Amino acid sequence: MSNRRKSTPAIRIDNGSIGPYGARIAGVGHYVPDRVVTNADLAQIFKTSDEWIVTRTGMKERRWASPEMASSDLCIRAARHALERANLKPGDIDCYVVATVTPDYLFPATACIVASKLGAAGKPAFDIEIACSGFIYGLPMAASFIRAGVFKRVMLIGVETLSKIANMEDRGTAILFGDGAGATVVERTTAANDCFLSCELGADGSEPEILYQPAGGSREPVTAESIKLKRDKVHMSGREVFKIAVAKMADTAKTVLARAHLTTQDVRWVIPHQANLRIIEAAVKRLGIPRERVFVNIEKYGNTSAASIPIALSEMVEADRLKDGDLIIFTGFGGGLSWGSVAWRWSA
Ligand code: UT7
């Protein structure tokens, strides 16, 4: 056991009462569609350039799902990958949770479809919809279910098929988004080995129009007119989101460290939501964490919203970059507006 680990009490009580259980991540997996869309491809659709996109966002390419592929199809592939890594079967999972803003249908929940298609019909399943913060909200929730003894294993999947709601007439947003899914099996361990150290979550819905899909809900059902005006697609004030994102990622990361009685020196990895390289770099600068301790894969996938952090985590596992005892800060933000960070101890 490393010194870093020894200096940390076995269980934190910031997010719940002390019980006999702790939570750990037993397996992660991901899936991205085969179709690669480069910046040059986008420059064929509207007036943009590889130079502008790389300089302003750090993105070089992203993946887009085929027309017949829905979010649940991506989830299933990512879930199977995570189950395989955890050496588990779909029936070993007690609850399926999907975080997404691009569900198969407005209802029923995509998680119900995923669990059934995996052969686990009958298991509890539901979606959470908190945009790009989906994994950041979902992980503490899954860990809390487990700590409380409600479930032994929770499958948390972040998925998006944002290409389906991108406005191809708006170069300011259409370049940003990609499709993909990342799946995580969170499972019971002993309280002494609990990996969930602390979290800080927040939201402010006073100006939902900063980042939203105006038509399609109860406030503005879809009409022929709204389709014509692209109000069934993503609308965003990029600069507004940018400003808030940097501050919230850095500030909540500081809070979770303080709550867990840790410092930036203890952090081995920051795994941020992959929305914009400039946002990530500004946030970690404000946090005082060197760039080499920050995982970035935005150049390959663009912004995959709720899927970006679990895809990143899965790629880190694949590359064997996480060691037992590593302190990870997951941090993100998105529509809502919403934001948050989670301090998590990696258990191999
Ligand atoms: O997951 C959470 C979701 N959202 C985000 O995280 C987004 C956060 N915001 C951002 O990442 C950035 O604000 C953007 C990348 C979206 C935009 O970058 P920016 O540096 O804030 O650019 P801007 O919107 O202020 O636009 C600057 C210029 C404008 O031209 P003028 O008015 O200065 O002549 C835009 O019309 O760049 C123009 N522009 C483009 N030019 C070429 C906007 N999009 C493009 C484009 N290609 N794709």
Side-chain angles (χ1 to χ4, degrees):
M1 191 184 275
S2 72
N3 285 337
R4 267 206 313 252
R5 201 164 193 189
K6 259 190 236 156
S7 65
T8 311
I11 187 165
R12 298 285 169 204
I13 55 167
D14 308 298
N15 307 296
S17 56
I18 294 178
Y21 307 126
R24 67 184 285 273
I25 292 175
V28 286
H30 72 282
Y31 173 77
V32 289
D34 294 335
R35 184 178 171 199
V36 176
V37 178
T38 64
N39 293 346
D41 294 331
L42 294 175
Q44 306 283 319
I45 305 174
F46 35 67
K47 200 168 175 292
T48 189
S49 65
D50 178 58
E51 197 265 331
W52 193 95
I53 300 174
V54 171
T55 316
R56 300 285 176 130
T57 70
M59 298 169 188
K60 292 184 179 156
E61 53 190 45
R62 68 286 295 139
R63 303 297 181 101
W64 284 359
S66 56
E68 64 281 359
M69 207 171 213
S71 285
S72 67
D73 301 314
L74 277 63
C75 287
I76 286 158
R77 288 163 171 83
R80 288 202 179 114
H81 191 201
L83 288 167
E84 192 187 301
R85 285 215 184 117
N87 203 16
L88 294 168
K89 296 190 179 59
D92 297 328
I93 303 296
D94 302 316
C95 178
Y96 284 83
V97 182
V98 169
T100 189
V101 292
T102 46
D104 283 22
Y105 309 104
L106 270 184
F107 76 91
T110 300
C112 303
I113 299 165
V114 171
S116 294
K117 282 193 184 164
L118 284 169
K123 299 283 184 182
F126 63 95
D127 288 1
I128 53 174
E129 198 269 78
I130 187 71
C132 307
S133 307
F135 185 80
I136 293 288
Y137 271 61
L139 186 59
M141 187 193 66
S144 300
F145 268 143
I146 287 162
R147 278 176 165 188
V150 177
F151 298 121
K152 204 168 157 197
R153 291 192 191 98
V154 177
M155 169 79 78
L156 170 64
I157 308 170
V159 66
E160 301 295 358
T161 45
L162 289 165
S163 63
K164 311 231 179 194
I165 60 165
N167 179 356
M168 289 303 158
E169 288 171 14
D170 176 14
R171 64 179 182 171
T173 55
I175 55 145
L176 301 171
F177 301 116
D179 302 341
T184 313
V185 177
V186 188
E187 76 169 9
R188 180 188 288 178
T189 182
T190 59
N193 290 308
D194 196 14
C195 296
F196 176 32
L197 305 182
S198 59
C199 73
E200 170 77 1
L201 307 173
D204 179 353
S206 54
E207 290 177 275
E209 59 283 352
I210 290 179
L211 176 48
Y212 76 148
Q213 186 181 2
S218 58
R219 184 155 304 282
E220 191 178 327
V222 175
T223 60
E225 184 64 9
S226 62
I227 291 174
K228 211 166 91 190
L229 297 171
K230 304 279 180 197
R231 292 182 64 76
D232 58 331
K233 306 293 183 194
V234 177
H235 288 239
M236 180 176 73
S237 308
R239 280 191 188 176
E240 293 302 307
V241 181
F242 196 115
K243 274 186 275 174
I244 292 162
V246 172
K248 292 297 183 189
M249 283 167 78
D251 296 351
T252 57
K254 280 182 196 161
T255 303
V256 295
L257 284 171
R259 263 197 199 139
H261 310 290
L262 296 163
T263 71
T264 51
Q265 304 293 319
D266 298 306
V267 177
R268 178 66 192 89
W269 287 109
V270 176
I271 307 184
H273 168 45
Q274 312 280 316
N276 185 319
L277 185 59
R278 286 187 295 144
I279 293 179
I280 294 172
E281 288 181 343
V284 293
K285 191 170 170 205
R286 186 168 165 144
L287 189 54
I289 289 189
R291 176 65 174 79
E292 60 272 17
R293 284 194 259 150
V294 184
F295 185 80
V296 173
N297 62 4
I298 196 170
E299 69 286 356
K300 291 192 292 183
Y301 305 129
N303 180 349
T304 56
S305 184
S308 86
I309 294 178
I311 291 174
L313 185 63
S314 177
E315 288 203 326
M316 292 189 77
V317 170
E318 209 156 71
D320 199 22
R321 295 177 83 171
L322 292 170
K323 305 293 173 221
D324 196 47
D326 279 355
L327 173 65
I328 301 170
I329 298 294
F330 297 111
T331 184
F333 64 93
L337 295 174
S338 59
W339 57 83
S341 291
V342 178
W344 191 270
R345 183 76 68 192
W346 187 252
S347 149

